[in-house]
Amino acid sequence: MRLLGINGSLTPSSRTREVVRLVLDQAATDPAVEPELLDLGAYDIAFCDGRDPDGYTGDTRAVIDKIAAADAYVVGTPSYRGSYTGALKNLFDLVPNEAPRGKVAGIVLTAGSDHHFLAIEHQLRPLLSFFQMQTVPGAVYAQNIHFTDGELTDPAIRESCRRLGAEIVRLWRAAGAGDTGPAYPVITRKPGDGVRPTSARN
Ligand SMILES: Cc1cc2nc3c(=O)[nH]c(=O)nc-3n(C[C@H](O)[C@H](O)[C@H](O)COP(=O)(O)O)c2cc1C
């Protein structure tokens, strides 16, 4: 099972990256799991301009392909303004609707405070549900006070990382990329939608 951890923070010393990595490590104690970390800050990703996803090249193409090739995900992001980051939203704007469809995902939200844990349910889970992804109930919510020198040291949050990793594997075993049931309406695009000839970006 190719398990892709996505870090939606562009901050070089990202706490979210540490938590996502920990969940990946925990899941990878199962020999069926091939973990990989997708750190959005390491890629030069274009803003979604509405073109057909096949039209992207370079780093943008590479991250879309990684999403499509994965069997399951750890989707991690810092809380920004009570929601997820713009970088993560842009990634999911780029991804073809069908690429993550039916696949299992676990959620990681980091934050500076205890104020915004419900963003997991009101912001992140609906984003993933748009793609008809199968999300593990519950999530890891790690606050800055749970870290020491950039390392997640709080025993309870480390335990929740272990449980999330184990649950991703368990749900994947039970359901795989399961039948998602009735599909939502398909959004069609006209050739040339969103392509600006003057754009130098990929
Ligand atoms: C632009 C910005 C907005 C933020 N908004 C919130 C917020 O609404 N609620 C919160 O608890 N923390 C907020 N934070 C704090 C981050 O979520 C927190 O520091 C997180 O651990 C950063 O993760 P990272 O190190 O992976 O980038 C914000 C930080 C930034 C830079």
Side-chain angles (χ1 to χ4, degrees):
M1 182 251 266
R2 285 163 295 192
L3 178 59
L4 187 68
I6 300 169
N7 176 21
S9 170
L10 305 185
T11 302
S13 56
S14 166
R15 293 185 185 91
T16 312
R17 185 197 303 121
E18 294 312 306
V19 183
V20 170
R21 203 193 303 275
L22 194 55
V23 176
L24 287 177
D25 289 348
Q26 296 293 334
T29 58
D30 186 307
V33 174
E34 299 167 36
E36 183 181 354
L37 184 68
L38 173 58
D39 212 351
L40 296 190
Y43 293 84
D44 183 17
I45 301 172
F47 277 117
C48 177
D49 59 12
R51 76 181 76 171
D52 188 295
D54 287 344
Y56 292 100
T57 58
D59 277 8
T60 308
R61 171 86 268 129
V63 298
I64 293 171
D65 288 346
K66 281 182 189 295
I67 301 275
D71 300 304
Y73 311 93
V74 181
V75 179
T77 176
S79 171
Y80 271 16
R81 311 298 186 225
S83 183
Y84 43 81
T85 62
L88 187 74
K89 177 64 164 67
N90 184 55
L91 176 72
F92 279 102
D93 288 344
L94 289 163
V95 165
N97 291 10
E98 66 281 4
R101 185 170 296 154
K103 295 179 184 174
V104 169
I107 296 172
V108 168
L109 184 65
T110 60
S113 69
D114 59 4
H115 298 172
H116 289 130
F117 73 93
L118 280 175
I120 291 162
E121 304 302 336
H122 294 304
Q123 306 283 329
L124 271 160
R125 207 177 301 280
L127 173 70
L128 305 183
S129 294
F130 170 85
F131 293 95
Q132 298 180 286
M133 292 162 79
Q134 307 186 72
T135 55
V136 171
V140 173
Y141 185 72
Q143 300 170 51
N144 291 354
I145 52 164
H146 298 138
F147 293 81
T148 310
D149 297 330
E151 189 190 345
L152 182 68
T153 44
D154 184 278
I157 308 299
R158 289 183 71 88
E159 170 60 12
S160 69
C161 290
R162 188 198 64 73
R163 290 188 61 180
L164 184 62
E167 281 304 289
I168 291 168
V169 178
R170 194 181 68 77
L171 189 55
W172 169 76
R173 280 230 162 76
D179 181 355
T180 58
Y184 296 137
V186 174
I187 301 159
T188 54
R189 300 181 210 209
K190 298 188 296 295
D193 267 0
V195 178
R196 284 174 295 156
T198 51
S199 171
R201 303 216 55 178
N202 51 2

